[in-house]
Amino acid sequence: MSDPEVTLRGVLMSKGRRCSSEGCRCRRGELHGPYTYLAVYADGRSRTVYVPSAVEAAVAEHVAVTQRNEELLAEVSQINLELLRRRALE
Ligand SMILES: [Zn+2]
């Protein structure tokens, strides 16, 4: 495990956005952006959080670290489950 304190679960995504201006080109399908969002699933619901470009690289890194750590935890859990089956868990 590395840097658990930066854990940030989610999926980075990029999407265009409509503004509130009636006559704007975005009403004809030319969306603003694209902007970066973090799609987060928590407490039984998903939402997207806007990611300012100034922190986009840091967020991407933290999301990647989190994914690696969770894969590691899943592996350790599998090993411990196997030990439990063999009654070898300490
Ligand atoms: Zn617009």
Side-chain angles (χ1 to χ4, degrees), residues 17-36:
R17 192 161 73 180
R18 279 194 173 78
C19 71
S20 56
S21 172
E22 282 297 328
C24 185
R25 62 188 167 83
C26 65
R27 299 297 166 124
R28 298 191 302 272
E30 287 178 59
L31 301 181
H32 300 279
Y35 299 98
T36 301

Side-chain angles (χ1 to χ4, degrees), residues 3-68:
D3 307 316
E5 72 281 2
V6 303
T7 296
L8 187 57
R9 282 185 179 145
V11 176
L12 275 176
M13 51 188 277
S14 177
K15 64 179 182 185
R17 192 161 73 180
R18 279 194 173 78
C19 71
S20 56
S21 172
E22 282 297 328
C24 185
R25 62 188 167 83
C26 65
R27 299 297 166 124
R28 298 191 302 272
E30 287 178 59
L31 301 181
H32 300 279
Y35 299 98
T36 301
Y37 296 86
L38 185 68
V40 182
Y41 186 79
D43 299 325
R45 67 194 190 101
S46 58
R47 61 201 160 111
T48 55
V49 179
Y50 173 64
V51 178
S53 56
V55 295
E56 195 180 320
V59 168
E61 173 64 22
H62 295 175
V63 166
V65 164
T66 302
Q67 207 169 350
R68 279 199 300 276

